[in-house]
Structures are given as structure tokens and as C-alpha cells.
């Protein structure tokens, strides 16, 4: 997993399903690993494979036409369990960006903590992306984090996206939250000393 | 202007607040379990740093553990490894562990409250989304990812943006046969699985106030299922009564001091919320879900929505969901055959839940073709149930009381519902494959689940109480 993110031009993989929960992204029975690697193999496991491990032909990850480092999904992506394994699986598979018209809170944090950029667009723009890919699976999307823009290359249509400035700096420079919190050691200790009810 | 309860607690835990940065928020209690902690401990090792405040972290093994023969080594190699890893990690880093066989072991969200670790006014996190359960005590409690577990282990703080505040008021009185699980399934069905995303919810109103602590926990537990960061309920006499005398609760002069503080924990009359929703308890009937997210719920006598009633965009997901469930749009669920009944999980596995089920099944017999799993939330719940003879009532009805753990809530141990089978479950998630590959879940209250165990089908429990 790369520890920085600035700019990306890539084709995208579309999954036009709403409310994709983290149990679909990585089912619980694959959460037994004790490292962060290797989860990509089981990304969308039960949508991707039959119970005898045969790939399901109609699932988009098994369709060689669709590839790229961007995943585009329906509204409320990443709801359900807080498992960070979902973000690890997406990153390990090779996705760097996930686009949806709505993200579950915890998933968004988990993605950012793993240098995967969740981009929230309007329902209308999401539809435009889906139809651009439907028209041409080789359609490219361009993400510019500095400018906070997402462009559909073929049509030139562009959307601005929000990201909080702190996380943006982290992504661009490869910092993480722990580096920052560790630098607050003195403040944390004096907070502790000041509290009457520090249970 | 006055403050909401949420803001009172949040403000008193902010260590550093800098423009453009998320707040660094101090965490009073951090619960960890075997599934979401190994990579966090690894991270500490890589950075060469210790756990900053070992006494504020408590560990238990729950997600992977078998629910029979817990005295034997865990059969499944990967599960065993994860549980062993927790033992090694907690030992190495000096964290207290209530592991398998310990009298305090159990589902992390059941043991915190019952041990008196969870207290009003606290900030509580855990690498598990149902951490919101602890909000029932008037605490800010929410689930976090593994990178955040590492943050809290390393610094006892977490970086967070202040969420928006929502109040959900449930007024009036519940009808017979309707319990707290029905309230929360009803709310989620009204506002959808993402209806509270970005918010922290405070539950209020007469119907909430009159609930016991255990019933309040059921409500707060499922806050995440409507997308909320967490949910809380202002503490009151019911709360204080519950906490008093518990193992780790403050005692003597400490208790008096704590109590005086807890009594300041309420939303001021002139405080404002970003959003307020109001429901009437009398409108709620026993609830059941028919789909593959917890927002897809209906009153047990109602019908699944028709395809025509859906917006165009929602149709594909709706169809996919019903195909998975093997159900037709527009159909009713009453009388639908169920194969499994699961009574357990951090939503409904407390002693009160088991009492409710025992009361109902006493003198009745389970339907022949139904498999019933009753899984207590903790060792202490199990012991209490035995003390009260609840295990005997279950045996007479043809059930058995298993040993504590998450069990069929997520099927990480052997308790998996077979493909294609229908399970009525008191847990909190009906996602595809949640209870086992291709298993089909109906979420409902312990009372409705018990009724199905007796009749073998989806039943309106009001006809039996
Ligand atoms: S019982 Fe289920 S929801 Fe609760 S902590 Fe365990 S796995 Fe999570």
C-alpha cells in the first residue's frame, strides 16, 4: 500500500449496488489473519466466487473488461461493521480510490487511514460516471487531490469533492494520525493531571 | 446557550483543538478483542512504543470463541491463533485480559456494563461498531478501526471531528408484546440504514425513560445500523441503581462524588440539536426484517414493499436483496417457516433477555424442525441464568443454553446458519452471509424469536402473550 496520494488517472470498476456493507467487502470468516496483508484475495468473496471457489462469471471483478485502480459504487458504501479489513482488502486488491454518492463514517476514516481516497460525489455525477463506464469500459477518470477534482476524461465533466484539510495533508505527505498524536504527549499528560474525574 | 449531553461530555474530553485539525479526544476506557487488535499491537511493536495507559484498556475474547466445550482447545486453527495472539499481546503489553475460562469473559459490550467499567460521562471506544451499546449509560461510545485502536493504545487519545447531534424522541407507552428491540428496528426502518450517518444520537422521551438499562443498551447498540456514530441516553435513577455495587464501580466517598457529577449529565433545556425526530411508541408493533440491511424492516403483520413503491434507483438493490432472501415483493411474512432461532449477540444476550425468553417458553415445547441456539452474552449472564433455573426451563422446552460469545451473530466460530436456511435472530445485522454463507436472517426481538422457536414459523407474538 503506497503511503502517499496526489494524482491518479485510471479506468474504473463499477458496482452499481447501494448499501454495500463491510460484510460483503470482506466476510467475517476471513478476518482471522493477524497481519494487514493478503485480504485482497477475499475482497467481495461471496459475490466473486461460488461456494466451490469457482469465479462467478457475472461479477464485475471477474470480468476482464473492467479493471483499474478506482472502484465506483452505489450510495452508502461501507456501512456495517467497523472492520478496517474492508479498507485493507480494497487497498490490497489494488484500488486507490473509491467513489460513491455516500460513505459510511467509519469506513471513510478507515480508508483514509490506509491512504485510500474516498470521493463523495452527487447522485447525478455518480450516474454520469456509471453511464460513461457503461458506454466504454476503458473510460478514464482523473483524480487530482491537490485541486480536489474528479474528471470523466471522455466528456470532460468535472466535479469538486470535499476532504478535510488535515486528512488531505496527511495523504499528500504520507503522515498518519499516530505521528501527530504522539507529538501531543505533553498536552495529554497535563490534561490527565487536570481532570478530577479521570475514571 | 445550553449544551447537549453529547457536547458536555465531548468538551470535557478535548485535549487539543486546533483549527483545521480534528480534535484530539481523551478516551477513558478502551475495550479490545481478538479480531481487531493484532495488527494494532503489531503497529506498536514496529514503532517501538508501549501501551500508554495500560489500566484504561481491557481485553476479552469473544468473536471467535466456540460456544460449547470452551474448556477444550479451540478446534479451528485460525480462530485459535487469533485468541492466542490476544493472550500473548496483552501479556507482553501489560493489558488485563478476561480470556476464555475467566469468570468475566464475554461479549465485550456485555461485560463492560455488567462489571461496572462502563460509567456515565465516559468516553469509550472499541474496535467494534456496536460499541455504541455503552451509550445507554450516558457515555460517548463509538466503534473504531484498527488504525484507531493503535492510536488509542499509543496515546489514550483519538483524532475525531465533532459529529452533528440528533435527538430521537419516542413518546408514549409501548403496547403489549412490543419491546425495546422493536423500537430500534422501527426507527431504523423509518429512517433507513444511513438515516443518521454523520450524527451522534441522543434518545429521549417517555418510552425510552421507562426502559431498564438492559433494554436501553439494546437501543443504543443498534444506533450504528442507521449509520449514526453512536447513541446515548442521559443517565437517571435507573442508571445509578444499575451501576451501584458492581465490581469496578466507584464505592464509598468516590461513589458520592461520581454521583454528584453524573447528575449534571443531561441536555440543557435550551440546547439545540442539528436534527430532531419524534416517534410515538403506540405506533410500534413487533418488528421483523425481510431484507439484507437492518433498515429493511416491517411490522410483523405488514407486507414487504412492492417493486412499484420503490424509486427506480433503489430497485436493483431491493431485488438483489429479496432474491437473496428468497422472498417476493408484496408478500407477508407471518407463517413463513424458520429453520433456526438464534437468541444472543451484544444486542440481546443479557440476563433480562434470557429471562424474557424463559418466561415466554416456560411450559411450552420447541417446534420439532427448528434448531435453537441460545447464547448468553457473558460468563456472568450464564452463571446467573443457571442460578435462576433458566437453563432448566430451556431444557424442558427442548433448547439448550450454550457458552458465551458472539456466535451466530457473525459466524466466525462454528455456529453458522447453513446456506439457504432461514434464521430468526436477535442480533443486529441481516447482511448477506452474515450468519454463514448464503444464510437468510430475519432480525427480531427475543420475544418474537422465542415465539418462532415454539411455532416453527414467523409469528405475531402478541397472539401468544
Ligand atoms: S455479538 Fe455480533 S455485533 Fe456484537 S460484538 Fe459480537 S460480532 Fe459484534
Amino acid at each position: 500500500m503506497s503511503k502517499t496520494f496526489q494524482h491518479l488517472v485510471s479506468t474504473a470498476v463499477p458496482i452499481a449496488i447501494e448499501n454495500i456493507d463491510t460484510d460483503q467487502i470482506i466476510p467475517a470468516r476471513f478476518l482471522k489473519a493477524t497481519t494487514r496483508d493478503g485480504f485482497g484475495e477475499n475482497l467481495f468473496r461471496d459475490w466473486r466466487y461460488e461456494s466451490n471457489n469457482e469465479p462467478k462469471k457475472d461479477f464485475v471483478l471477474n470480468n476482464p473488461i473492467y479493471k483499474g485502480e478506482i472502484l465506483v459504487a452505489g450510495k452508502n458504501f461501507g456501512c456495517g461493521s467497523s472492520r478496517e479489513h474492508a479498507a485493507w482488502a480494497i487497498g490490497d486488491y489494488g484500488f486507490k480510490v473509491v467513489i460513491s454518492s455516500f460513505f459510511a463514517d467509519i469506513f471513510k476514516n478507515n480508508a483514509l487511514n490506509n491512504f485510500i481516497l474516498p470521493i463523495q460525489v452527487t447522485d447525478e455525477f455518480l450516474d454520469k460516471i456509471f453511464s460513461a463506464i457503461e458506454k466504454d469500459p476503458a473510460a478514464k477518470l482523473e483524480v487530482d487531490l491537490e485541486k480536489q477534482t474528479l474528471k470523466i476524461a471522455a466528456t470532460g465533466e468535472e466535479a469538486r469533492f470535499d476532504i478535510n484539510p488535515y486528512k488531505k495533508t496527511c495523504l499528500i505527505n504520507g503522515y498518519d494520525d499516530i505521528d501527530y498524536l504522539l507529538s501531543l504527549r505533553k498536552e495529554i499528560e497535563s490534561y490527565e493531571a487536570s481532570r478530577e474525574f479521570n475514571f | 446557550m445550553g449544551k447537549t449531553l453529547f457536547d458536555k461530555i465531548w468538551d470535557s474530553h478535548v485535549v487539543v483543538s486546533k483549527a483545521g485539525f480534528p480534535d484530539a479526544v481523551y478516551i477513558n476506557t478502551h475495550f479490545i478483542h481478538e479480531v481487531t487488535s493484532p495488527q494494532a499491537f503489531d503497529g506498536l511493536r514496529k514503532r517501538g512504543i508501549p501501551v500508554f495507559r495500560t489500566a484504561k484498556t481491557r481485553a476479552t475474547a469473544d468473536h471467535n470463541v466456540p460456544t460449547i466445550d470452551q474448556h477444550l482447545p479451540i478446534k479451528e486453527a485460525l480462530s485459535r491463533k487469533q485468541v492466542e495472539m490476544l493472550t500473548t499481546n496483552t501479556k507482553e503489553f501489560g493489558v488485563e485480559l478476561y480470556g476464555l475460562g475467566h469468570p468475566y469473559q464475554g461479549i465485550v459490550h456485555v461485560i463492560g456494563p455488567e462489571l461496572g467499567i462502563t460509567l456515565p460521562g465516559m468516553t469509550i471506544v472499541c474496535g467494534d461498531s456496536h460499541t455504541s451499546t455503552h451509550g445507554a449509560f450516558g457515555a460517548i461510545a463509538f466503534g473504531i478501526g484498527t488504525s484507531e485502536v493503535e492510536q488509542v493504545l499509543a496515546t489514550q487519545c483519538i483524532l475525531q471531528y465533532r459529529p452533528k447531534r440528533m435527538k430521537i424522541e419516542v413518546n408514549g407507552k409501548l403496547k403489549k408484546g412490543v419491546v425495546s428491540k422493536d423500537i430500534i428496528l422501527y426507527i431504523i426502518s423509518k429512517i433507513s440504514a444511513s438515516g443518521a450517518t454523520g450524527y451522534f444520537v441522543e434518545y429521549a422521551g417517555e418510552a425510552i425513560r421507562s426502559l431498564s438499562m438492559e433494554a436501553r443498551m439494546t437501543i443504543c447498540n443498534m444506533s450504528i445500523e442507521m449509520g449514526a456514530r453512536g447513541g446515548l441516553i442521559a443517565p437517571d435513577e435507573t442508571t445509578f441503581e444499575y451501576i451501584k455495587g458492581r465490581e469496578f464501580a466507584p464505592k464509598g466517598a468516590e461513589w458520592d462524588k461520581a454521583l454528584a457529577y453524573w447528575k449534571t449529565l443531561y441536555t440543557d433545556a435550551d440546547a439545540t440539536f442539528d436534527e430532531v425526530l419524534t416517534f410515538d411508541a403506540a405506533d410500534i408493533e413487533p418488528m421483523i426484517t425481510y431484507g439484507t440491511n437492518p433498515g429493511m424492516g416491517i411490522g410483523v403483520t405488514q407486507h414487504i414493499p412492492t417493486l412499484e413503491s420503490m424509486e427506480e434507483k433503489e430497485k436493483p438493490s431491493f431485488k438483489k436483496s429479496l432474491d437473496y432472501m428468497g422472498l417476493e415483493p408484496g408478500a407477508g411474512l407471518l407463517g413463513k417457516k424458520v429453520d433456526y432461532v438464534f437468541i444472543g449477540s451484544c444486542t440481546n444476550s443479557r440476563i433480562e433477555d434470557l429471562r424474557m425468553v424463559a418466561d415466554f417458553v416456560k411450559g411450552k415445547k420447541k417446534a420439532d424442525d427448528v434448531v435453537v441456539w441460545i447464547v448468553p452474552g457473558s460468563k456472568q449472564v450464564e452463571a446467573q441464568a443457571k442460578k435462576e433455573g433458566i437453563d432448566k426451563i430451556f431444557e424442558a422446552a427442548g433448547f439448550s443454553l450454550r457458552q458465551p460469545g458472539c456466535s451466530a451473530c457473525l459466524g466466525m466460530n462454528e455456529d453458522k446458519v447453513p446456506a439457504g436456511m432461514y434464521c430468526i435472530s436477535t442480533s443486529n445485522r441481516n447482511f448477506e452471509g452474515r450468519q454463514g454463507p448464503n444464510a437468510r436472517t430475519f432480525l427480531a426481538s427475543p420475544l418474537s424469536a422465542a415465539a418462532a422457536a415454539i411455532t416453527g414459523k414467523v409469528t405475531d407474538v402478541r397472539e401468544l402473550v
Side-chain angles (χ1 to χ4, degrees):
Chain A
M1 221 167 297
S2 117
K3 278 200 63 168
T4 57
F5 186 101
Q6 283 117 11
H7 187 258
L8 177 71
V9 181
S10 171
T11 51
V13 178
I15 307 183
I17 300 279
E18 298 188 346
N19 297 313
I20 296 179
D21 60 76
T22 52
D23 274 81
Q24 306 320 311
I25 300 173
I26 181 95
R29 56 187 195 283
F30 299 110
L31 305 187
K32 298 184 186 186
T34 49
T35 62
R36 288 177 187 236
D37 317 311
F39 288 100
E41 245 173 76
N42 295 313
L43 175 67
F44 293 116
R45 179 78 205 191
D46 294 336
W47 289 357
R48 212 164 130 199
Y49 298 101
E50 303 286 355
S51 46
N52 61 6
N53 296 331
E54 281 294 308
K56 294 187 181 177
K57 289 221 175 53
D58 55 353
F59 186 60
V60 62
L61 291 190
N62 296 322
N63 186 343
I65 305 183
Y66 299 105
K67 42 183 178 288
E69 296 173 302
I70 301 177
L71 176 67
V72 189
K75 196 179 193 148
N76 199 23
F77 185 82
C79 57
S81 151
S82 59
R83 60 188 69 157
E84 193 161 318
H85 312 67
W88 298 337
I90 287 171
D92 190 56
Y93 186 86
F95 291 119
K96 298 201 165 77
V97 170
V98 185
I99 301 172
S100 176
S101 57
F102 199 83
F103 288 95
D105 275 344
I106 303 185
F107 176 80
K108 203 196 281 182
N109 279 343
N110 286 340
L112 287 165
N113 283 337
N114 288 282
F115 299 90
I116 296 164
L117 177 63
I119 298 183
Q120 184 166 328
V121 295
T122 60
D123 285 325
E124 294 71 41
F125 201 78
L126 189 68
D127 285 345
K128 283 187 184 157
I129 298 175
F130 279 131
S131 47
I133 301 172
E134 198 179 337
K135 252 190 235 134
D136 176 14
K140 291 220 157 107
L141 303 178
E142 181 175 353
V143 180
D144 188 328
L145 177 57
E146 186 54 53
K147 289 201 292 213
Q148 298 178 222
T149 54
L150 169 66
K151 189 152 95 185
I152 307 175
T155 61
E157 284 165 297
E158 194 174 85
R160 246 188 85 78
F161 60 85
D162 282 337
I163 176 168
N164 70 59
Y166 166 72
K167 274 294 167 194
K168 182 172 168 179
T169 320
C170 285
L171 279 184
I172 291 179
N173 300 302
Y175 301 150
D176 72 16
D177 288 354
I178 300 183
D179 299 331
Y180 171 61
L181 279 173
L182 285 172
S183 76
L184 298 180
R185 174 84 182 235
K186 260 218 204 78
E187 286 86 344
I188 297 171
E189 283 175 346
S190 64
Y191 170 85
E192 286 178 325
S194 74
R195 290 285 295 163
E196 191 185 351
F197 281 99
N198 192 12
F199 303 96
Chain B
M1 202 179 61
K3 277 189 186 181
T4 67
L5 170 58
F6 175 85
D7 289 291
K8 285 184 183 175
I9 304 175
W10 182 281
D11 289 345
S12 67
H13 286 81
V14 172
V15 175
V16 173
S17 183
K18 261 208 273 192
F21 281 68
D23 290 348
V25 177
Y26 194 83
I27 298 302
N28 297 118
T29 295
H30 184 195
F31 293 107
I32 60 173
H33 60 84
E34 77 276 20
V35 178
T36 55
S37 67
Q39 294 87 351
F41 281 112
D42 248 6
L44 295 185
R45 260 183 223 111
K46 276 191 198 129
R47 289 175 204 259
I49 51 178
V51 170
F52 182 54
R53 293 290 179 246
T54 47
K56 293 187 186 295
T57 307
R58 316 260 178 152
T60 191
D62 55 4
H63 282 64
N64 266 299
V65 302
T67 55
I68 40 171
D69 294 335
Q70 284 187 348
H71 61 290
L72 300 176
I74 301 177
K75 281 197 217 119
E76 223 260 324
L78 289 172
S79 294
R80 193 174 58 239
K81 184 166 165 224
Q82 244 181 9
V83 172
E84 285 169 359
M85 190 81 99
L86 183 68
T87 311
T88 322
N89 283 334
T90 48
K91 214 184 254 160
E92 179 184 334
F93 286 89
V95 169
E96 175 109 344
L97 168 68
Y98 306 137
L100 269 191
H102 193 288
Y104 294 165
Q105 179 266 339
I107 303 175
V108 59
H109 311 309
V110 174
I111 67 168
E114 79 183 1
L115 290 170
I117 299 171
T118 300
L119 299 173
M122 275 188 164
T123 46
I124 300 174
V125 293
C126 172
D128 184 284
S129 51
H130 295 97
T131 308
S132 58
T133 313
H134 307 264
F137 290 80
I140 292 186
F142 54 91
I144 57 177
T146 299
S147 295
E148 295 170 314
V149 171
E150 190 182 334
Q151 277 177 41
V152 181
L153 289 175
T155 67
Q156 206 56 39
C157 288
I158 192 163
L159 286 181
Q160 289 285 307
Y161 287 93
R162 190 187 294 252
K164 290 182 282 182
R165 280 73 90 205
M166 177 187 282
K167 178 159 83 165
I168 297 185
E169 238 178 55
V170 187
N171 298 315
K173 290 196 170 54
L174 289 176
K175 295 206 170 130
K176 199 174 79 173
V178 180
V179 295
S180 74
K181 179 67 165 286
D182 299 306
I183 302 183
I184 190 67
L185 284 173
Y186 176 82
I187 296 173
I188 303 169
S189 77
K190 291 291 169 201
I191 74 171
S192 93
S194 60
T197 302
Y199 289 93
F200 212 100
V201 176
E202 178 174 346
Y203 301 95
E206 184 194 352
I208 303 287
R209 277 282 142 239
S210 54
L211 295 174
S212 69
M213 281 320 292
E214 308 212 337
R216 291 180 191 182
M217 286 187 245
T218 302
I219 303 247
C220 289
N221 174 275
M222 290 193 71
S223 304
I224 182 76
E225 306 308 335
M226 48 188 172
R229 203 73 183 87
L232 47 59
I233 296 172
D236 57 14
E237 286 308 320
T238 308
T239 321
F240 309 143
E241 200 46 49
Y242 177 97
I243 298 169
K244 197 163 189 179
R246 292 193 180 258
E247 184 70 25
F248 296 103
K251 312 255 152 53
E254 283 294 308
W255 170 264
D256 297 334
K257 237 168 62 183
L259 191 63
Y261 169 55
W262 295 341
K263 289 188 170 166
T264 67
L265 297 174
Y266 52 82
T267 291
D268 295 328
D270 56 346
T272 55
F273 288 85
D274 299 288
E275 177 82 51
V276 178
L277 304 176
T278 311
F279 299 97
D280 188 343
D283 295 339
I284 307 176
E285 58 169 326
M287 295 290 295
I288 188 161
T289 63
Y290 59 86
T292 54
N293 75 57
M296 302 173 84
I298 49 177
V300 68
T301 60
Q302 293 168 359
H303 289 247
I304 298 171
T306 57
L307 213 48
E308 293 72 55
S309 69
M310 292 280 136
E311 273 183 48
E312 211 40 56
K313 258 214 298 279
E314 296 168 353
K315 282 184 185 168
S317 307
F318 178 73
K319 270 211 268 220
K320 182 171 188 301
S321 181
L322 288 193
D323 279 352
Y324 180 86
M325 290 297 292
L327 297 170
E328 293 298 324
L333 287 178
L334 271 185
K336 174 92 194 158
K337 159 111 187 56
V338 300
D339 309 294
Y340 280 73
V341 174
F342 171 57
I343 296 173
S345 91
C346 57
T347 317
N348 285 120
S349 64
R350 298 181 182 82
I351 189 66
E352 213 179 85
D353 299 309
L354 300 193
R355 281 184 196 134
M356 190 195 306
V357 173
D359 262 1
F360 178 82
V361 303
K362 196 169 189 168
K364 301 189 178 81
K365 278 269 177 224
K366 130 182 140 54
D368 287 338
D369 47 359
V370 176
V371 177
V372 182
W373 289 329
I374 304 189
V375 183
S378 70
K379 274 311 233 198
Q380 297 210 77
V381 171
E382 183 188 15
Q384 183 64 29
K386 287 189 172 155
K387 206 165 114 193
E388 295 177 19
I390 287 177
D391 56 331
K392 294 284 172 311
I393 297 176
F394 288 163
E395 273 160 36
F399 312 159
S400 68
L401 184 63
R402 299 173 76 94
Q403 291 174 305
C406 294
S407 179
C409 172
L410 88 170
M412 272 190 87
N413 68 352
E414 292 99 31
D415 308 342
K416 294 183 179 66
V417 175
M421 297 274 177
Y422 289 96
C423 176
I424 186 160
S425 174
T426 67
S427 55
N428 42 51
R429 287 186 172 146
N430 50 357
F431 299 149
E432 288 184 26
R434 173 81 180 183
Q435 297 196 285
N438 288 308
R440 293 159 163 170
T441 305
F442 296 130
L443 299 177
S445 77
L447 213 47
S448 296
I454 301 300
T455 61
K457 38 193 199 230
V458 175
T459 303
D460 184 349
V461 67
R462 290 171 297 188
E463 289 170 3
L464 300 178
V465 290

